[in-house]
Amino acid sequence: MSLPYLARLVCLCLAAFFLVHAALGLAVSALAPRAVRFASRMAPVDGAQLLLALRLFPAAFALLVVAGLCTPSYLYLEPKGAPEEMGPACFAAALMGLALWGQSLVRATRAMARSLRHIRQCRVHSREMRLPGERKAAWVMEGTAPCVMLAGVLRPRIVISRGVVAALSTEQLSAVVRHERAHGASRDNLKRLLLLLAPGILPFASGFRNLERAWAKIFGMGRGRSRGRGKKRGVPSRWQRRWCAWRAWAPRRRRWPRR
C-alpha cells in the first residue's frame, strides 16, 4: 500500500505504539498476580500507587518511545519525496493501534458524559450546605437513601444525602467528609479517568482486569490511612463509611421495655 509522507508517519507511530504496548502489557499481565500479592502486604496508599503505576506503565512507555524515538528519527532520517510502499504487517499493526486508542477514547468519553449528566442531576436535586467543621460547602440531596460520594474530576464536589447527615453525629460526619476530601486531594477521580484512557493489550481484550480490580480494592481502603503510619485519626476507612451509610438507611430497631 502506497502512502504519502505524513500518512506513513502516523501509521508507523500507531504500529510502534501497538507493538511496544503489547509486549510490555503481556509482561505486566504475567507479573500481575505477584504484584497484587506484594501490594496487599504494603500500606494501602503505597500498594494502590504501585498497582496504578504498573497499569499505566505500558501505555506511558509506549507513548514515550513514539514521541521520543519513532517520530524524531522518522522526521530526521526519512527523506520527503514520492509516496512509498508500506508492508501489510506494519499496516495491520497500525490498525490495531488505532483500534486500541479508539476504544479507549470512546470508553473515557462515555464515562465523562455519564459523570457530567450525574453532576447536573445532583446540582438540580440538592442545595449547597456548609457542614460542621468544613470550609467548603457540600451538595446535600433530599432523601433518606445513603449517599456519600465525590463527583467530578477537575473540581470535585462532595455529594451527601440528608439521611446520612441526620443519622451521623457531628464527629462522624466530619470524618466522612474528610475522607472524601482526601480522595479529592489525591485526584482519585482523575486516576480513574486515566485507567479508562489506558488501552488494553488487544482491542476488546483488556488483559489487566485482575490488576484493575486489585487496585480498586486497595484504593478504597487507602484514603483512610496515612503513609505507613497506620490509621489516620478521624478519617474512616471504606468499611466504616459503608457502616455509617447503612445506619442512615436501615430502619431503627424497636426496643421493647424490659419487664
Side-chain angles (χ1 to χ4, degrees), residues 163-239:
V164 174
V165 175
L168 302 183
S169 64
T170 302
E171 183 179 356
Q172 291 172 334
L173 184 61
S174 179
V176 169
V177 172
R178 283 200 302 271
H179 185 102
E180 298 302 326
R181 294 288 184 205
H183 280 293
S186 59
R187 301 292 182 182
D188 288 334
N189 285 353
L190 178 60
K191 295 174 183 176
R192 291 181 180 272
L193 181 61
L194 290 177
L195 284 178
L196 291 175
L197 278 172
I201 298 178
L202 295 173
F204 309 106
S206 173
F208 300 108
R209 299 292 184 190
N210 294 334
L211 201 61
E212 292 175 354
R213 288 180 188 140
W215 175 84
K217 182 179 179 181
I218 300 178
F219 153 86
M221 301 166 57
R223 291 303 112 209
R225 299 180 182 273
S226 59
R227 190 179 297 273
R229 296 183 181 179
K231 193 170 186 304
K232 192 173 181 179
R233 182 177 299 178
V235 182
S237 66
R238 179 182 57 167
W239 309 109

Side-chain angles (χ1 to χ4, degrees), residues 9 25 102 114 134 161 185 234 258:
L9 173 61
R114 289 195 300 267
E134 293 297 321
S161 65
R258 295 182 179 179

Side-chain angles (χ1 to χ4, degrees), residues 21 27 31 40 50 75 137 162 197 214:
H21 180 266
L31 293 174
S40 63
L50 173 64
L75 295 175
R162 189 170 294 278
L197 278 172

Side-chain angles (χ1 to χ4, degrees), residues 143-147 161-168 241-253:
T144 58
C147 175
S161 65
R162 189 170 294 278
V164 174
V165 175
L168 302 183
R241 289 189 296 123
R242 285 185 177 182
W243 166 253
C244 293
W246 180 84
R247 281 192 56 190
W249 172 81
R252 299 180 182 273
R253 291 181 298 177

Side-chain angles (χ1 to χ4, degrees), residues 11-249:
C11 287
L12 287 175
C13 289
L14 289 173
F17 175 85
F18 170 73
L19 294 175
V20 174
H21 180 266
L24 294 177
L26 290 174
V28 169
S29 181
L31 293 174
R34 294 183 180 180
V36 170
R37 289 194 297 268
F38 181 74
S40 63
R41 294 193 293 267
M42 301 171 63
V45 174
D46 297 330
Q49 289 180 352
L50 173 64
L51 296 181
L52 180 65
L54 277 177
R55 175 61 183 90
L56 299 180
F57 173 72
F61 190 83
L63 286 174
L64 182 63
V65 169
V66 170
L69 180 63
C70 181
T71 302
S73 61
Y74 179 87
L75 295 175
Y76 182 74
L77 298 174
E78 185 71 14
K80 295 183 180 180
E84 296 182 7
E85 293 290 330
M86 176 169 286
C90 182
F91 189 72
L95 289 179
M96 295 289 282
L98 182 62
L100 283 179
W101 277 115
Q103 182 189 21
S104 299
L105 291 175
V106 169
R107 183 172 61 240
T109 302
R110 287 179 178 176
M112 286 294 295
R114 289 195 300 267
S115 177
L116 293 175
R117 194 182 317 120
H118 185 67
I119 290 174
R120 285 195 296 267
Q121 292 176 355
C122 291
R123 188 177 301 170
V124 171
H125 297 92
S126 63
R127 65 186 185 90
E128 290 189 351
M129 178 183 296
R130 198 175 298 277
L131 300 175
E134 293 297 321
R135 294 188 232 171
K136 295 183 180 180
W139 288 349
V140 179
M141 299 180 61
E142 298 295 335
T144 58
C147 175
V148 182
M149 62 182 174
L150 191 70
V153 176
L154 298 179
R155 295 180 180 178
R157 299 292 298 268
I158 292 180
V159 180
I160 187 170
S161 65
R162 189 170 294 278
V164 174
V165 175
L168 302 183
S169 64
T170 302
E171 183 179 356
Q172 291 172 334
L173 184 61
S174 179
V176 169
V177 172
R178 283 200 302 271
H179 185 102
E180 298 302 326
R181 294 288 184 205
H183 280 293
S186 59
R187 301 292 182 182
D188 288 334
N189 285 353
L190 178 60
K191 295 174 183 176
R192 291 181 180 272
L193 181 61
L194 290 177
L195 284 178
L196 291 175
L197 278 172
I201 298 178
L202 295 173
F204 309 106
S206 173
F208 300 108
R209 299 292 184 190
N210 294 334
L211 201 61
E212 292 175 354
R213 288 180 188 140
W215 175 84
K217 182 179 179 181
I218 300 178
F219 153 86
M221 301 166 57
R223 291 303 112 209
R225 299 180 182 273
S226 59
R227 190 179 297 273
R229 296 183 181 179
K231 193 170 186 304
K232 192 173 181 179
R233 182 177 299 178
V235 182
S237 66
R238 179 182 57 167
W239 309 109
Q240 290 172 323
R241 289 189 296 123
R242 285 185 177 182
W243 166 253
C244 293
W246 180 84
R247 281 192 56 190
W249 172 81

